[in-house]
């Protein structure tokens, strides 16, 4: 009976669907295990074989945990709001909901062909109103919360208002924008509007003027991680810096907890490092420098010990004091400089070390210790929203300051001893100042910094300060295809919708582009006003600013819906709450999370932030959302190129390309015959522009250059999993993807290699069909057969636990080869192997399991344990003869070499007795039989 994988796979995929085999109960007595893949965004291109790599790994692990007796949650859903669908809608006029639906159906079809054990009953999409209703709800909770730095947690905004009513903002320690001090009286006497402006400084979701990445072509603001080299990541359109009123999330309040939390979680070190770098904690001091005119400027430094080397000061061009201090003489030049800087993004400003730019303001400050006059410059290497937006420049010890001093001819001063205590201390660690120096003694510098801070505090000119690089996250997007922000504006004050009136549904509009006035697409909606009395959305014409008000026209960013989706899977149908408490208490958080490394500082920071916030407000019980995380590597494609002589229709075969002026073009790998040879006919038909191509051949053939690179539709190097499944089966594909190499590594795809894995599965099948039909026998196993089985169990279980799937596949191969050689068809040996292989190749396992007479799915069977007894080496009893006479018996392991036996036997005490002074001539050993000693 042949291994008919196509039928087997179809049959079992249907079986799992109709029996809901992988549906998890909400709560059971069993111990839970939660395995999650990063939320897929269903793009129009469908899946290529690189995409399922992580899903296969997580599926193997989920199935394995089930077989170990855990109650496993392994859900799937779709991150379905986002820019590509909207861009497509703009081009074609089709509603993004429609294209999204088509893409999701395609994804689902492709995924179900791969045999994943997802609990499909929990599926949802971020664009479902029943889901985004809760995203909007969380937004309102953030809006209604502030961060209490004393308690180190978020609290309801009412408690802040209470505190203001009692003591103003004098006693409260809250995360927020710097706010002028006010008393309880002043608070009480403030207007509602004034109060709201103040509260915006503390709310965790707040509105403020922010410099944002503005992309006119896309008509929207982009997050830092959506911008690459001043261009939008999607589409490659230019991005400019612009100041706009935007919603932001006060993630900075959580900087310290986000950093500390990294110690608790089992994530790749590289990922933790990039999060910790992104959070960027620096210790230092804030120091006040008096301006000659009476004003003062605060700087932030991590090296207060170098203060005596300060020879000038630099402000960020956007610093609010610039206008006030610039002298008439320099005003024009300063204004021109500020205009110029607007074009550059923060990243560019920081990374550009070659082009030093700056402008003198005409103003001076006084050195707080020496009283020396220090010129005040503007330069774009100082960022407005980092530290205090101002620095003391120490050109002898800081490379950026050094370049600046050189460019503008400013003094470079090594710290000189004498004078104040700070100076003496500083001098003692002089070598340490040079940030380039290899002999920088960290401990000494630390001590010097500490002492410098003490002196600065004593003198009352500043204090120690911790600074974070992390910025608040801009949250509004001027896009259509996202969650509407559930806010309306009453006389300029942002008011949230009543929670029980959520969701605020995304309205239909005529075009998915900004209005003629440049307002976001939602402003096109005919009914986008909130009637406070009727508590519903009404026609814009009814807007009267008394009862009916305009709703927010922004939508949420892509990361909103993906910041809490793992919680919704615990209890996806709940209409009362985003997740019910019991379900959350049971499932807690994700035990194993698998996904790409590109989410290191976006999704994974935002999700941790929201989770911590929900914990603070007692809606969830854990501090971290993802306990263990693995970044799967990429499967790379093998691209093919043809070389075209520039400006002609002439193409040169790869081996003939020398110094000609050619341009290399990606071509579809489907156009190749075998190896690197081009199918010329197909090529000419592929694109009209190639129809008349003139091909210069090598030995009658045309060859392409190949290159291993990222698999992508745009590089025409994708391999479609559907085709592989059709040809070899999903089980082969699953095992092959794992066999390619360790999960975390990137590795090239090679379709030829798949045959080996396919043959292996056929061999496995044949163990059960040695007579042509299904057949196993009931004989007890030999020691050798048991050893093969138990070795496999031991190794494979250990490898799966370590997520080392490639080595598990090899272990299967070794076991199957050994059993084939032993002609083993014993049930007692083969049956446990079926359970063992089921996580990797679930279809074939189910088919064999059924033939073995089981009625239930193999996924309900418990994984076997290895029995150490069978792993003990076989011991051979050797008769030891002296000149052919049996004298005694000795024991040796079956597989040790004869030379070893020879050495060991001579150490036997009995040998000396029988030698009895005679000389030994020879030892003859017949392996596993006899030892003969010739005297
Ligand atoms: C004097 C000094 C001497 C500095 C020295 C460094 C070395 P991190 O570690 O990244 O926090 N700085 C402060 N605010 C800045 C801003 N808004 N934009 C650009 N640079 C700024 O770096 C902190 C250091 O970066 C600070 O310490 C300051 O330069 C600079 F040998 O002050 B330092």
């Amino acid at each position: 009976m042949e291994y008919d994988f196509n039928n087997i796979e179809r049959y079992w995929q249907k079986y799992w669907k109709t029996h809901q085999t992988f549906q998890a109960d909400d709560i059971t007595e069993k111990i839970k295990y939660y395995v999650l893949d990063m939320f897929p965004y269903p793009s129009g291109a469908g899946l290529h074989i690189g995409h399922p790599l992580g899903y296969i790994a997580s599926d193997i692990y989920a199935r394995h945990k089930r077989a170990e007796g855990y109650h496993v949650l392994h859900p799937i859903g779709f991150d379905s709001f986002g820019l590509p669908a909207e861009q497509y809608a703009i081009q074609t006029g089709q509603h993004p909901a429609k294209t999204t639906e088509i893409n999701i159906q395609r994804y689902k079809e492709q995924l179900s062909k791969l045999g994943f054990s997802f609990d499909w009953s929990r599926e949802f999409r971020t664009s479902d109103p029943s889901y985004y209703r809760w995203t909007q709800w969380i937004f309102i909770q953030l809006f209604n919360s502030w961060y209490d730095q004393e308690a180190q947690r978020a609290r309801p905004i009412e408690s802040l208002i209470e505190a203001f009513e009692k003591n103003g903002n004098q006693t409260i320690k809250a995360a927020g924008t710097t706010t002028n001090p006010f008393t309880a009286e002043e608070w009480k006497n403030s207007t509602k509007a004034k109060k709201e402006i103040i509260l915006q400084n503390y709310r965790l979701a707040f509105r403020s003027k922010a410099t944002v990445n503005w992309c006119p072509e896309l008509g929207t603001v982009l997050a830092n991680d959506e911008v690459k080299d001043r261009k939008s990541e999607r589409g490659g359109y230019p991005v400019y810096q612009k100041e706009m009123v935007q919603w932001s999330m006060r993630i900075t309040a959580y900087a310290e907890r986000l950093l500390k939390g990294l110690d608790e979680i089992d994530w790749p070190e590289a990922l933790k490092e990039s999060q910790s770098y992104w959070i960027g904690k620096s210790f230092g001091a804030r120091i006040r420098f008096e301006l000659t005119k009476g004003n003062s400027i605060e700087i932030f430094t991590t090296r207060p010990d170098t203060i005596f080397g300060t020879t000038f000061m630099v402000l960020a061009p956007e610093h609010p004091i610039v206008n006030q201090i610039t002298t008439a003489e320099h005003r024009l030049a300063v204004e021109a400089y500020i205009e110029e800087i607007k074009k550059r993004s923060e990243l560019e400003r920081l990374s550009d070390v070659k082009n030093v730019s700056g402008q003198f303001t005409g103003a001076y400050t006084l050195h707080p210790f020496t009283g020396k006059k220090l010129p005040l410059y503007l330069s774009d290497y100082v960022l407005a929203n980092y530290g205090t937006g101002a620095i003391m420049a120490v050109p002898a010890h800081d490379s950026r300051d050094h370049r600046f001093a050189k460019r503008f001819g400013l003094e470079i001063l090594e710290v000189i001893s004498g004078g104040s205590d700070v100076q003496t201390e500083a001098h003692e660690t002089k070598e340490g100042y040079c940030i380039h120096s290899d002999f920088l003694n960290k401990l000494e510098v630390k001590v010097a910094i500490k002492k410098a801070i003490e002196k600065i505090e004593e003198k009352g000119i500043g204090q120690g300060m911790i600074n974070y690089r992390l910025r608040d996250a801009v949250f509004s997007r001027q896009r259509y295809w996202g969650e509407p922000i559930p806010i309306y504006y009453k006389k300029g004050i942002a008011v949230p919708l009543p929670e029980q009136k959520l969701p605020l549904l995304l309205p239909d509009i005529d075009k998915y582009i900004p209005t003629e006035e440049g307002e976001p697409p939602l402003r096109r909606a005919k009914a986008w006003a909130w009637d406070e009395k009727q508590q519903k959305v009404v026609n814009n014409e009814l807007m009267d600013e008394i009862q009916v008000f305009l709703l927010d026209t922004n939508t949420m960013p892509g990361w909103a819906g993906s910041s809490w989706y793992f919680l919704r899977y615990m209890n996806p149908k709940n209409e009362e709450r985003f997740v019910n408490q019991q379900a959350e208490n049971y499932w807690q958080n994700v035990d194993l999370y698998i996904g790409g490394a590109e989410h290191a500082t976006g999704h994974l920071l935002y999700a941790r932030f929201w989770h911590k916030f929900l914990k603070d407000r007692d809606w969830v019980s854990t501090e971290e959302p993802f306990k263990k995380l693995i970044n799967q590597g990429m499967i790379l494609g093998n691209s093919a190129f043809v070389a075209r002589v520039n400006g002609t229709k002439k193409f040169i075969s790869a081996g003939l390309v020398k110094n000609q002026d050619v341009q290399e073009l990606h071509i579809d790998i489907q156009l190749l015959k075998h190896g690197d040879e081009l199918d010329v006919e197909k090529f000419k038909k592929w694109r009209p522009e190639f129809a008349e191509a003139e091909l210069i051949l090598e030995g009658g053939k045309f060859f392409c250059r190949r290159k291993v690179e990222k698999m992508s539709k745009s590089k025409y190097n994708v391999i479609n999993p559907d085709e592989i499944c059709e040809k070899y089966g999903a089980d082969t594909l699953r095992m092959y993807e794992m066999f390619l190499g360790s999960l975390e590594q990137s590795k090239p795809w090679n379709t030829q290699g798949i045959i080996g894995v396919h043959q292996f599965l056929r061999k496995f099948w044949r163990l059960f069909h040695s007579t042509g039909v299904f057949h196993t026998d009931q004989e007890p196993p030999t020691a050798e057969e048991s050893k093969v089985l138990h070795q496999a169990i031991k190794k494979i279980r250990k490898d799966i636990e370590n997520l080392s799937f490639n080595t598990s596949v090899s272990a299967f191969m070794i076991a199957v080869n050994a059993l084939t050689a032993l002609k083993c068809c014993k049930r007692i040996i083969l049956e446990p192997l079926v359970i063992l292989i089921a996580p990797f190749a679930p279809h074939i396992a189910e088919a064999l399991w059924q033939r073995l007479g089981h009625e239930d799915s193999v996924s309900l069977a418990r994984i076997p344990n290895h029995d150490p007894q069978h792993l003990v080496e076989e011991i051979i009893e050797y008769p030891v003869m002296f000149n052919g006479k049996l004298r005694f018996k000795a024991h040796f392991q079956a597989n040790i070499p004869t030379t070893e036996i020879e050495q060991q036997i001579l150490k036997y005490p009995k040998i000396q007795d029988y030698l009895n002074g005679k000389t030994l001539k020879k030892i003859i050993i017949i392996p596993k039989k006899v030892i003969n000693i010739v005297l």
Side-chain angles (χ1 to χ4, degrees):
M1 193 178 169
E2 268 302 291
Y3 168 40
D4 179 3
F5 55 85
N6 281 329
N7 272 325
I8 291 174
E9 294 186 353
R10 228 168 288 139
Y11 175 88
W12 287 101
Q13 282 160 15
K14 199 166 153 211
Y15 176 97
W16 295 326
K17 201 171 170 186
T18 44
H19 290 76
Q20 294 273 2
T21 310
F22 306 109
Q23 192 173 329
D25 296 329
D26 276 342
I27 299 147
T28 76
E29 295 285 289
K30 285 199 214 165
I31 300 172
K32 69 99 187 188
Y33 200 91
Y34 186 176
V35 185
L36 186 64
D37 298 293
M38 282 187 192
F39 217 12
Y41 175 83
S43 79
L47 292 174
H48 65 57
I49 49 123
H51 295 121
L53 184 75
Y55 303 157
I56 297 172
S58 65
D59 195 57
I60 292 172
Y61 203 75
R63 286 174 177 271
H64 173 74
K65 281 283 160 193
R66 275 191 211 103
E68 281 190 333
Y70 288 89
H71 185 52
V72 172
L73 177 58
H74 186 38
I76 185 90
F78 297 94
D79 188 10
S80 51
F81 273 137
L83 202 50
E86 176 156 341
Q87 284 301 103
Y88 191 72
I90 292 171
Q91 286 158 18
T92 63
Q94 271 203 50
H95 197 290
K98 229 187 210 165
T99 43
T100 304
E101 183 56 36
I102 295 169
N103 295 349
I104 289 177
Q105 285 317 324
R106 170 101 195 275
Y107 259 60
K108 285 178 74 166
E109 232 169 75
Q110 287 191 299
L111 287 174
S112 60
K113 278 189 194 159
L114 292 169
F116 295 129
S117 63
F118 292 131
D119 176 352
W120 285 103
S121 72
R122 292 173 190 254
E123 180 206 341
F124 59 78
R125 295 130 199 230
T126 46
S127 56
D128 290 341
S130 62
Y131 178 81
Y132 71 67
R133 161 193 185 166
W134 296 108
T135 311
Q136 292 175 331
W137 180 85
I138 294 173
F139 174 85
I140 293 179
Q141 307 317 312
L142 282 153
F143 178 81
N144 284 330
S145 300
W146 65 290
Y147 197 84
D148 182 342
Q149 277 173 329
E150 216 131 42
Q152 273 297 308
R153 64 183 298 178
R155 295 176 56 198
I157 200 80
E158 291 76 30
S159 61
L160 184 70
I161 296 172
E162 249 169 56
F164 286 169
E165 278 167 359
K166 262 196 218 136
N167 302 312
N169 67 348
Q170 313 287 310
T171 51
I172 214 94
K173 272 183 83 185
T177 321
T178 329
T179 316
N180 291 332
F182 56 82
T183 62
E185 269 325 288
E186 283 168 323
W187 170 259
K188 282 184 217 151
N189 295 333
S190 297
T191 60
K192 222 176 159 192
K194 176 87 191 296
K195 281 181 179 165
E196 185 47 42
I197 290 168
I198 291 172
L199 287 177
Q200 288 285 349
N201 291 341
Y202 297 93
R203 294 183 187 279
L204 293 183
F206 63 101
R207 265 160 60 88
S208 69
K209 250 194 192 166
T211 307
V212 292
N213 303 305
W214 172 248
C215 178
E217 263 83 356
L218 294 176
T220 189
V221 159
L222 297 172
N224 282 340
D225 52 294
E226 294 169 317
V227 183
K228 298 261 139 65
D229 301 329
R230 280 163 97 176
K231 299 241 164 66
S232 62
E233 201 184 20
R234 293 200 188 269
Y237 304 113
V239 174
Y240 303 90
Q241 302 296 297
K242 187 174 168 185
E243 237 190 22
M244 288 172 78
V245 175
Q246 294 286 327
W247 282 103
S248 287
M249 288 282 160
R250 211 177 294 285
I251 188 173
T252 49
Y254 284 85
E256 187 59 31
R257 275 166 66 191
L258 287 168
L259 192 64
K260 275 218 185 94
L262 293 173
D263 295 338
E264 285 170 33
I265 47 187
D266 182 4
W267 287 17
E269 269 320 302
L271 210 174
K272 286 192 188 182
E273 261 165 40
S274 55
Q275 288 224 339
S276 133
Y277 179 79
W278 196 260
I279 296 165
K281 183 177 186 178
S282 305
F283 297 89
R286 142 215 292 273
I287 309 172
R288 219 170 36 252
F289 283 66
E290 299 294 330
L291 273 158
T292 30
K293 280 189 185 159
N295 246 323
S296 73
I297 288 173
E298 270 205 327
I299 61 99
F300 169 69
T301 175
T302 46
R303 296 295 306 277
D305 55 320
T306 65
I307 193 166
F308 283 89
T310 308
T311 54
F312 58 100
M313 307 262 301
V314 189
L315 294 180
E318 302 87 345
H319 197 290
I321 208 169
V322 172
N323 197 18
Q324 204 180 322
I325 54 147
T326 302
T327 58
E329 190 192 338
H330 292 88
R331 187 161 298 275
L332 272 182
V334 162
E335 280 166 7
Y337 183 66
I338 293 172
E339 265 320 296
E340 190 190 316
I341 295 311
K342 279 192 183 151
K343 292 184 202 132
R344 311 185 79 200
S345 78
E346 201 167 90
L347 200 69
E348 269 175 278
R349 287 169 58 165
L350 273 182
S351 51
D352 187 3
V353 292
K354 274 188 239 123
N355 306 309
V356 183
S357 77
Q359 176 60 44
F360 182 46
T361 60
Y364 292 85
T365 60
L366 298 178
H367 193 291
F369 287 98
T370 64
K372 201 171 147 175
K373 267 175 94 179
L374 307 170
L376 233 172
Y377 278 77
L378 305 183
S379 175
D380 67 345
Y381 76 90
V382 176
L383 302 177
N385 44 6
Y386 186 72
T388 58
I391 65 155
M392 60 179 206
V394 188
H397 305 299
D398 180 286
S399 51
R400 293 165 301 182
D401 298 346
H402 192 264
R403 272 193 298 272
F404 194 87
K406 283 273 187 208
R407 163 85 167 73
F408 290 94
L410 295 159
E411 188 186 1
I412 298 171
L413 184 66
E414 290 264 340
V415 181
I416 307 161
S417 70
S420 83
D421 287 353
V422 180
Q423 213 169 340
T424 317
E425 294 291 347
H427 181 64
E428 278 171 12
T429 61
K430 195 169 161 214
E431 300 85 6
Y433 304 143
C434 177
I435 54 170
H436 301 299
S437 82
D438 295 332
F439 43 81
L440 189 135
N441 180 330
K442 286 200 175 133
L443 191 66
E444 277 185 11
V445 173
K446 256 192 186 161
V447 171
I449 291 173
K450 201 169 155 248
K451 291 192 172 162
I453 293 175
E454 279 168 19
K455 298 292 170 215
I456 286 160
E457 286 179 350
E458 239 168 60
K459 203 170 153 72
I461 52 161
Q463 73 249 73
M465 169 181 164
I466 289 171
N467 192 58
Y468 297 92
R469 186 181 296 120
L470 187 69
R471 302 296 152 73
D472 286 331
V474 177
F475 194 71
S476 28
R477 298 286 184 275
Q478 294 68 46
R479 285 180 192 159
Y480 173 69
W481 193 230
E483 301 86 346
I485 293 179
I487 292 279
Y488 61 95
Y489 294 91
K490 195 172 172 178
K491 302 200 180 85
I493 299 175
V495 187
L497 255 55
E499 287 172 21
Q500 66 282 7
K501 292 292 162 190
L502 298 177
L504 171 61
L505 292 174
L506 187 63
D508 275 331
I509 54 175
D510 55 348
K511 280 190 218 152
Y512 306 102
I513 50 173
T515 64
E516 277 67 44
E517 291 75 37
E519 288 189 81
L522 289 195
R523 193 68 184 86
R524 291 178 174 276
K526 301 261 176 333
W528 201 240
W530 184 253
D531 186 323
E532 240 185 12
K533 240 200 197 132
Q534 292 194 62
Q535 301 220 332
K536 63 176 199 183
V537 178
V538 295
N539 251 325
N540 294 355
E541 286 133 34
L542 300 173
M543 245 186 307
D544 59 4
E545 294 295 323
I546 300 166
Q547 184 180 320
V548 181
F549 308 93
L550 182 66
L551 282 156
D552 198 304
T553 51
N554 292 290
T555 53
M556 299 188 193
W559 58 265
S562 58
S563 290
W564 71 281
Y565 75 110
F566 44 92
L567 293 168
R568 188 64 179 169
Y569 283 136
M570 298 174 183
N571 188 210
K573 306 276 187 299
N574 195 336
E575 290 183 6
E576 307 299 313
R577 222 177 128 115
F578 71 103
V579 52
N580 115 356
Q581 204 158 7
Q582 252 186 322
E584 190 279 328
N585 263 321
Y586 179 70
W587 293 111
Q588 304 236 332
N589 49 11
V590 176
D591 294 284
L592 176 66
Y593 197 26
I594 297 190
E598 66 277 15
H599 298 293
T601 49
H603 161 61
L604 289 173
L605 262 183
Y606 299 134
R608 293 181 65 217
F609 157 43
W610 276 28
H611 198 79
K612 286 175 191 297
F613 164 71
L614 293 171
K615 161 89 184 336
D616 287 352
R617 298 294 315 270
D618 294 326
W619 286 303
V620 303
S621 54
T622 54
E623 177 77 17
E624 288 287 338
F626 316 115
K627 283 202 262 193
K628 182 179 172 81
L629 186 141
I630 299 283
N631 289 134
Q632 84 274 14
M634 258 191 284
I635 290 191
L636 305 169
N638 194 2
S639 305
F641 299 86
V642 290
R644 178 171 65 189
V645 179
N646 265 329
T648 70
K649 288 184 176 172
K650 213 189 261 178
F651 291 81
I652 313 178
S653 182
L656 304 174
V657 177
K658 298 271 145 51
N659 304 321
Q660 303 95 324
D661 177 23
V662 295
Q663 182 191 15
E664 289 207 306
L665 308 171
H666 270 106
I667 58 146
D668 196 326
I669 52 170
Q670 305 288 342
L671 303 177
L672 296 172
K673 268 187 189 164
H674 10 254
D676 306 340
E677 192 193 337
L678 183 71
D679 184 325
V680 175
E681 287 317 304
K682 271 196 193 166
F683 170 70
K684 287 188 171 175
K685 278 189 210 132
W686 187 46
R687 290 270 164 86
E689 69 207 82
F690 300 144
E692 282 161 30
E694 180 193 332
L695 296 149
I696 306 200
L697 309 178
E698 268 176 90
K701 292 174 178 170
F702 190 96
F703 294 101
C704 299
R705 189 172 77 83
R706 306 298 294 271
K707 186 180 155 199
V708 172
E709 57 183 346
K710 192 178 164 178
M711 195 174 275
S712 147
K713 202 183 167 197
S714 65
K715 296 183 164 59
Y716 303 107
N717 61 0
V718 296
I719 306 271
N720 185 327
D722 303 355
E723 282 167 28
I724 301 280
C725 283
E726 197 53 41
K727 210 159 163 196
Y728 302 101
D731 284 342
T732 297
L733 177 66
R734 290 169 64 109
M735 285 203 109
Y736 184 54
E737 290 217 3
M738 293 299 105
F739 189 55
L740 279 176
S742 83
L743 183 58
E744 285 106 321
Q745 258 168 16
S746 287
K747 50 239 157 181
W749 176 262
N750 167 8
T751 302
Q752 267 104 52
I754 202 167
I755 295 162
V757 173
H758 187 66
Q759 299 294 10
F760 152 72
L761 281 179
R762 287 191 175 278
K763 220 171 183 180
F764 183 58
W765 180 262
R766 274 203 300 276
L767 283 177
F768 298 80
H769 298 85
S770 51
T771 57
V773 290
F774 181 83
H775 160 82
T776 57
D777 62 38
Q778 306 294 334
E779 300 283 300
T782 65
E784 214 166 342
E785 288 165 342
S786 294
K787 194 169 141 193
V788 172
L789 171 67
H790 288 270
Q791 256 173 354
I793 297 175
K794 185 178 176 196
K795 167 119 181 87
I796 291 162
R797 287 194 66 167
K798 189 164 156 240
D799 286 353
I800 298 180
E801 213 35 72
N802 295 329
L803 299 151
S804 174
F805 301 124
N806 54 329
T807 55
S808 340
V809 177
S810 330
F812 277 122
M813 291 176 169
I814 291 169
V816 168
N817 282 338
L819 295 174
T820 305
L822 292 170
K823 296 203 167 61
C824 172
C825 54
K826 292 173 184 157
R827 182 184 180 108
I828 196 163
I829 297 294
L830 299 184
E831 192 167 40
L833 272 184
V834 173
I835 306 175
L836 205 59
I837 209 170
F840 293 81
H843 309 87
I844 194 173
E846 292 278 25
L848 293 169
W849 192 246
Q850 191 184 49
R851 285 164 173 76
L852 283 164
H854 298 280
E855 281 178 7
D856 276 336
S857 160
V858 68
S859 62
L860 301 175
R862 280 300 180 88
I863 195 164
N865 289 314
H866 79 271
D867 182 348
Q869 185 192 308
H870 296 295
L871 299 181
V872 176
E873 288 300 325
E874 197 189 343
I875 303 291
I876 305 286
E877 190 178 69
Y878 282 91
V880 182
M881 331 264 275
F882 279 75
N883 288 342
K885 253 193 210 141
L886 175 68
R887 292 302 187 195
F888 63 92
K889 285 182 176 164
H891 295 87
F892 293 101
Q893 284 180 356
N895 58 353
I896 67 168
T898 46
T899 47
E900 180 91 358
I901 297 180
E902 198 173 313
Q903 278 174 21
Q904 284 191 23
I905 194 75
L906 290 175
K907 288 182 198 142
Y908 265 60
K910 279 189 183 157
I911 288 279
Q912 295 310 324
D913 299 348
Y914 290 103
L915 273 179
N916 210 2
K918 289 182 198 138
T919 42
L920 188 152
K921 279 195 195 132
K922 204 155 74 173
I923 302 181
I924 302 164
I925 300 168
I926 302 173
K928 295 192 182 171
K929 290 263 150 54
V930 66
I931 301 172
N932 197 359
I933 294 173
V934 184
L935 301 175

